C-alpha cells in the first residue's frame, strides 16, 4: 500500500484522466546545522560542490555601483514658466472621445547671458522666449528661481 499525502502517492504511478505521473520516493536530504562557518554546500540536484569563503572588510567590493548607460529623458515642462502638457479629448465625427496630450511648444534656444558674459543653451517654451525678450534673462531667471551659473 502506498503512502498518500494530499492525494498524491509517494510510490508508484499516479494516473489521472489525461496524464500519468511518476513520483519518486523522497530523497533523504542532509540536514544542515546552522553555524557561522559553512565550508561547503553540496547540491543534491547537480552534484556540484559550492564553496563559500568569508571576505574581510578590507577587501574591495565585488560589485560596482550601477550607472545607467542612457541619459535621462528631458521632461516636457518649461523651467521658466512652468507650462506642461494639457490632457484633452480627441473628438471624432461620431463624438467618440479619446484622451490625448497637447504638448508645450518647447524650443532649444541659445540666449546671451549678460551677467555671465556667455551664451546659455536652454529649452524654453515660446511664451518664455517672448518674456525673456521683454524683461531680460536675469529678471525672468530670478523670478523662476533658476541659477544660470550652473549651466
Amino acid at each position: 500500500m502506498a503512502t498518500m499525502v494530499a492525494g498524491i502517492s509517494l510510490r508508484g504511478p499516479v494516473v489521472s484522466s489525461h496524464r500519468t505521473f511518476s513520483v519518486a520516493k523522497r530523497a533523504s536530504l542532509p540536514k544542515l546545522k546552522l553555524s557561522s562557518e559553512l565550508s561547503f554546500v553540496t547540491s543534491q540536484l547537480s552534484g556540484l560542490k559550492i564553496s563559500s569563503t568569508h571576505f574581510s572588510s578590507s577587501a574591495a567590493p565585488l560589485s560596482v555601483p550601477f550607472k545607467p548607460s542612457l541619459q535621462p529623458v528631458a521632461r516636457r515642462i518649461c523651467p521658466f514658466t512652468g507650462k506642461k502638457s494639457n490632457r484633452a479629448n480627441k473628438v471624432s465625427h461620431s463624438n467618440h472621445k479619446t484622451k490625448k496630450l497637447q504638448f508645450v511648444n518647447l524650443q532649444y534656444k541659445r540666449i546671451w547671458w549678460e551677467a555671465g558674459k556667455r551664451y546659455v543653451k536652454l529649452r524654453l517654451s515660446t511664451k518664455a522666449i517672448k518674456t525673456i525678450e521683454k524683461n531680460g534673462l536675469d529678471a525672468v531667471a530670478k523670478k523662476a528661481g533658476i541659477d544660470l551659473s550652473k549651466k
Side-chain angles (χ1 to χ4, degrees):
M1 184 173 159
T3 308
M4 297 290 287
V5 175
I8 299 173
S9 173
L10 294 179
R11 290 189 192 140
V14 176
V15 180
S16 68
S17 61
H18 299 287
R19 295 182 181 96
T20 302
F21 298 103
S22 176
V23 180
K25 190 196 275 189
R26 276 191 192 176
S28 59
L29 298 175
K31 295 181 182 178
L32 296 176
K33 296 180 182 177
L34 294 176
S35 65
S36 61
E37 294 184 11
L38 181 64
S39 60
F40 63 90
V41 175
T42 305
S43 173
Q44 293 293 324
L45 297 175
S46 61
L48 295 176
K49 187 182 278 189
I50 303 169
S51 62
S52 66
T53 58
H54 297 283
F55 295 105
S56 64
S57 61
S58 63
L62 294 176
S63 63
V64 274
F66 175 72
K67 291 183 182 177
S69 60
L70 300 173
Q71 295 292 328
V73 178
R75 295 177 66 196
R76 292 181 172 137
I77 295 177
C78 177
F80 287 89
T81 59
K83 287 181 172 283
K84 55 185 173 181
S85 301
N86 181 41
R87 286 193 54 104
N89 284 323
K90 184 191 291 186
V91 182
S92 69
H93 178 69
S94 63
N95 205 26
H96 179 74
K97 296 175 179 70
T98 56
K99 297 288 183 185
K100 72 172 187 173
L101 286 176
Q102 295 172 336
F103 296 117
V104 181
N105 187 7
L106 292 175
Q107 305 292 323
Y108 285 99
K109 185 80 174 166
R110 255 182 38 166
I111 300 175
W112 178 255
W113 181 33
E114 191 63 39
K117 302 292 185 202
R118 64 182 178 97
Y119 280 101
V120 181
K121 188 175 181 182
L122 300 168
R123 190 177 190 207
L124 306 167
S125 64
T126 50
K127 176 75 174 179
I129 294 172
K130 291 169 85 176
T131 307
I132 288 171
E133 287 177 0
K134 180 179 178 184
N135 299 333
L137 181 60
D138 284 327
V140 177
K142 184 177 180 183
K143 184 176 179 183
I146 296 174
D147 185 18
L148 295 172
S149 62
K150 290 188 260 182
K151 296 182 180 181

